Amino acid sequence: MQRAIRIAAAATRRALSSSAARASPPPPRGPLAPGWGATRWLCSGREALSYDVVIVGAGPAGLAAAIRLKQLCRAADTDLSVCVLEKGSEVGAHVLSGNVFEPRALDELIPKWRQEDSPIRVPVSSDKFWLLTKNQAWTLPSPFDNKGNYVISLSQLVRWMATKAEELGVEVYPGVATNDVGIAKDGTKRETFQPGVELRASDFENTGRITLLAEGCRGSLSEKIIRNHKLRERGQGQHQTYALGIKEVWEIEEGKHNPGSVIHTVGWPLDTKTYGGSFLYHLDDRQLAIGLVVALNYRNPFLSPYDEFQKFKQHPAVRKLLEGGTAIQYGARTLNEGGFQSIPYPIFPGGAIIGCSAGFLNVPKIKGTHTAMKSGMLAAEATFKSLVEGSSMELYWENLKKSWIWEELHKARNYRPAFEYGLIPGMVLSALERYIFKGKSPYTLKHGRPDHEATDTANLHAPIQYPKPDGHITFDVPTSLYRSNTNHEHDQPPHLRLRDPTVPERVNVALYAAPESRYCPARVYEYISDEKGDPKLHINAQNCLHCKACDIKDPKQNIEWTVPEGGGGPGYTVM
């Protein structure tokens, strides 16, 4: 990959024109002061902006990297121009997580955050672990240690982090896409057409400038770079494995609300061969975050993660919490579960991959925000030394292997693959790892087949009959989508593309009973009978939650997820 990354920005001009209204960044200092701010020129009829560092993604990793870079600049009395690009309509709009937050990395990044008006306000007050059967909730010893952690909204946290970054002089641009805007489905230019602005992490001489990819799980650019540069093979060597998390935020009755209460569950409604679990986190203001996580290596093509989540809410122990309450937001997102075995070599020519794009989630902790932030900080330190002192970005990889991220993920490496053998064997092996070996077992388990290869053919399973939603506790997909604030410009080139348009009917319907109509939590993929009565795939791209499940689970990897026109997608506020 060249050291220049071309980004067409739907809202960049809007952001540039309004930059004067923002709090003014500190004045440039030191010998690199001429690099402060964007260098502008026209290139191929486009306006082009050049930065010392371009960070793709305004999540916890990208913003932590930006903040750390500017901190290092201030300490060294120098400066680097830093730009953060975000495809959501605003920072946090596409960010979704549980989230029980471990503040370890934030303590290092902003030590005095507790004295500031941060959205981290609710400490964990209780920590329970349930094994669910259809009508019972059995309390088990909790494998989690959440003392000192907080229940938060990650979308609110990254908004706060963005303000901290901007105060240091980072330029943050939401609404960014990878193409021109105002292009119709047929490729013609509409009246709203605007050529994209090129934001480059290099100048005309192509001297050393850095791009950091912090796109989150299954990032489009990151996956291409990992594949093209064989970074997985140069790292820990095993493929990544994923899960789909589906979440709602409710306002519940005052008498049922217990701020800081954390409950995790395993078991029902998932079968014993399907790895996953659920969570119930009590935030402030009578808000309850509730969700179900389903590993995407599930076998049964008739399984619908969305409908399993609706079933989960009908459990007696869960339903009583929700009755009398109101669902206020819905969303879904995939997460990396490969852990230590799946970490790629994170450096490519001209940049590095950070955060969940590289896959630093600690599966048994069900936490990845702290590790994502730390990876961004380590990459920022290597970037600073590379640009200011001329050292190699290899320092990021070296320091990553010396960090507490590496130690933490190495200790946790056998939990997720243990469940390849089923729920009960997985819990037994996990108990051995935690209480006997304490993360120092002499072996390293391997992951099973990649998620898209794990799906059985339909003839090996019976269809699953899910109950109809009641409209009070359980909901149909259109109702949930309304709560996600999802919106895309309808007349634009499709961002969900089929590599072979014959595969859906020829393979997915014939062999797997159309699994894309069920694994997608937004019902983007729908089969409609043609004039002959044969099923034909219709893609409702405007419904897309950007969860990336289709990019992962499609049996023949025929669906390619690409970035839509800038600003499209969900509009989360409390997820």
Side-chain angles (χ1 to χ4, degrees):
M1 178 178 176
Q2 296 180 349
R3 295 189 178 184
I5 182 169
R6 173 172 160 172
I7 304 293
T12 302
R13 283 191 168 82
R14 211 165 43 244
L16 289 172
S17 64
S18 64
S19 60
R22 297 179 182 165
S24 298
R29 299 180 292 171
L32 289 184
W36 179 81
T39 302
R40 302 187 181 196
W41 67 87
L42 288 179
C43 181
S44 302
R46 298 169 180 266
E47 182 180 8
L49 305 176
S50 179
Y51 292 86
D52 296 310
V53 183
V54 170
I55 300 172
V56 182
L63 290 169
I67 291 169
R68 185 66 185 130
L69 272 166
K70 286 297 187 178
Q71 289 174 339
L72 292 167
C73 287
R74 286 194 169 188
D77 195 29
T78 187
D79 202 17
L80 297 170
S81 57
V82 181
C83 171
V84 179
L85 310 178
E86 167 57 39
K87 68 181 176 69
S89 59
E90 62 180 18
V91 174
H94 290 180
V95 173
L96 180 151
S97 178
N99 180 295
V100 175
F101 179 67
E102 182 175 317
R104 183 174 186 176
L106 188 60
D107 286 339
E108 297 178 13
L109 183 66
I110 307 175
K112 296 182 179 180
W113 65 265
R114 290 174 178 83
Q115 284 76 55
E116 302 194 24
D117 187 24
S118 76
I120 308 171
R121 299 180 292 268
V122 183
V124 172
S125 59
S126 64
D127 197 358
K128 296 179 181 179
F129 184 49
W130 291 347
L131 172 63
L132 298 185
T133 59
K134 185 175 182 179
N135 294 306
Q136 296 293 325
W138 304 95
T139 300
L140 301 178
S142 177
F144 309 102
D145 182 10
N146 281 314
K147 183 178 180 181
N149 294 335
Y150 296 80
V151 180
I152 69 166
S153 159
L154 189 59
S155 59
Q156 292 177 351
L157 175 62
V158 297
R159 287 189 184 92
W160 176 78
M161 291 179 67
T163 64
K164 306 304 291 183
E166 289 184 315
E167 287 170 3
L168 291 169
V170 176
E171 297 182 39
V172 181
Y173 297 129
V176 173
T178 55
N179 49 9
D180 294 335
V181 298
I183 301 292
K185 284 184 176 181
D186 61 6
T188 60
K189 296 178 180 179
R190 293 186 278 122
E191 292 181 358
T192 57
F193 172 79
Q194 285 188 343
V197 175
E198 295 186 15
L199 290 95
R200 295 173 175 261
S202 67
D203 58 22
F204 283 126
E205 287 72 38
N206 201 29
T207 56
R209 297 294 184 260
I210 303 297
T211 298
L212 300 180
L213 298 182
E215 302 172 279
C217 178
R218 195 75 172 192
S220 300
L221 293 173
S222 305
E223 287 299 310
K224 289 179 180 178
I225 288 173
I226 288 171
R227 180 174 62 252
N228 293 344
H229 291 275
K230 300 187 184 301
L231 301 185
R232 193 82 64 195
E233 294 83 348
R234 295 175 63 188
Q236 295 304 97
Q238 293 191 37
H239 63 267
Q240 186 60 261
T241 187
Y242 301 88
L244 174 63
I246 300 175
K247 176 183 175 182
E248 290 176 347
V249 175
W250 284 64
E251 284 184 355
I252 61 175
E253 294 177 340
E254 183 67 38
K256 301 175 182 179
H257 186 234
N258 183 14
S261 172
V262 169
I263 300 172
H264 294 100
T265 85
V266 293
W268 190 89
L270 300 178
D271 62 66
T272 59
K273 297 295 184 182
T274 301
Y275 179 71
S278 65
F279 60 86
L280 298 107
Y281 302 154
H282 291 248
L283 297 96
D284 53 3
D285 299 327
R286 296 192 294 114
Q287 291 185 356
L288 174 74
I290 177 172
L292 178 71
V293 178
V294 181
L296 285 175
N297 67 341
Y298 66 79
R299 301 175 185 177
N300 188 344
F302 294 106
L303 187 146
S304 164
Y306 179 88
D307 291 303
E308 295 290 331
F309 176 53
Q310 303 308 312
K311 280 177 62 178
F312 164 69
K313 291 188 292 178
Q314 292 283 25
H315 191 279
V318 178
R319 185 179 178 94
K320 68 180 182 181
L321 273 174
L322 303 179
E323 286 178 334
T326 303
I328 59 175
Q329 202 149 95
Y330 164 80
R333 188 69 170 93
T334 51
L335 53 149
N336 305 290
E337 288 196 336
F340 183 79
Q341 291 92 320
S342 302
I343 296 173
Y345 178 73
I347 302 165
F348 59 88
I353 303 174
I354 62 178
C356 287
S357 288
F360 297 118
L361 178 76
N362 184 324
V363 175
K365 273 190 176 183
I366 321 178
K367 293 179 183 66
T369 303
H370 66 303
T371 49
M373 290 176 63
K374 180 63 174 178
S375 73
M377 295 156 63
L378 293 172
E381 290 161 7
T383 296
F384 182 83
K385 286 185 175 291
S386 175
L387 295 179
V388 175
E389 300 177 11
S391 64
S392 169
M393 280 298 292
E394 181 71 21
L395 182 65
Y396 170 40
W397 180 235
E398 294 171 359
N399 287 344
L400 185 64
K401 291 188 288 185
K402 296 175 185 176
S403 72
W404 50 259
I405 296 177
W406 202 262
E407 178 184 7
E408 183 175 312
L409 294 186
H410 183 266
K411 288 181 178 180
R413 69 193 184 283
N414 286 331
Y415 287 84
R416 175 63 186 89
F419 285 86
E420 291 286 335
Y421 308 101
L423 176 62
I424 302 304
M427 293 184 69
V428 171
L429 287 170
S430 296
L432 288 173
E433 284 287 326
R434 177 174 175 82
Y435 298 109
I436 304 300
F437 294 120
K438 298 181 179 180
K440 298 179 180 180
S441 54
Y443 55 85
T444 296
L445 297 176
K446 292 186 177 181
H447 299 304
R449 293 176 293 176
D451 298 339
H452 68 279
E453 295 180 2
T455 310
D456 290 339
T457 53
N459 64 313
L460 299 178
H461 297 270
I464 301 175
Q465 300 299 322
Y466 290 104
K468 292 183 178 181
D470 59 23
H472 300 286
I473 303 298
T474 60
F475 310 101
D476 58 22
V477 172
T479 301
S480 293
L481 275 175
Y482 176 78
R483 297 190 179 110
S484 72
N485 300 314
T486 297
N487 182 60
H488 294 85
E489 169 59 51
H490 182 74
D491 188 15
Q492 64 171 295
H495 73 278
L496 300 167
R497 302 169 185 170
L498 301 177
R499 294 183 172 92
D500 182 346
T502 72
V503 164
E505 295 80 18
R506 181 169 53 83
V507 177
N508 289 7
V509 171
L511 296 181
Y512 301 100
E516 61 269 61
S517 65
R518 289 178 290 274
Y519 62 61
C520 174
R523 297 296 188 266
V524 167
Y525 302 95
E526 179 183 17
Y527 282 89
I528 300 174
S529 297
D530 63 12
E531 62 277 3
K532 296 180 181 179
D534 297 325
K536 293 295 180 182
L537 180 64
H538 179 71
I539 300 178
N540 304 302
Q542 66 273 17
N543 291 355
C544 182
L545 289 168
H546 296 206
C547 76
K548 308 293 183 71
C550 58
D551 199 59
I552 297 165
K553 188 61 174 171
D554 184 65
K556 298 301 178 185
Q557 292 291 273
N558 188 49
I559 298 172
E560 181 183 13
W561 196 100
T562 59
V563 180
E565 188 170 288
Y572 302 137
T573 57
V574 294
M575 299 299 270

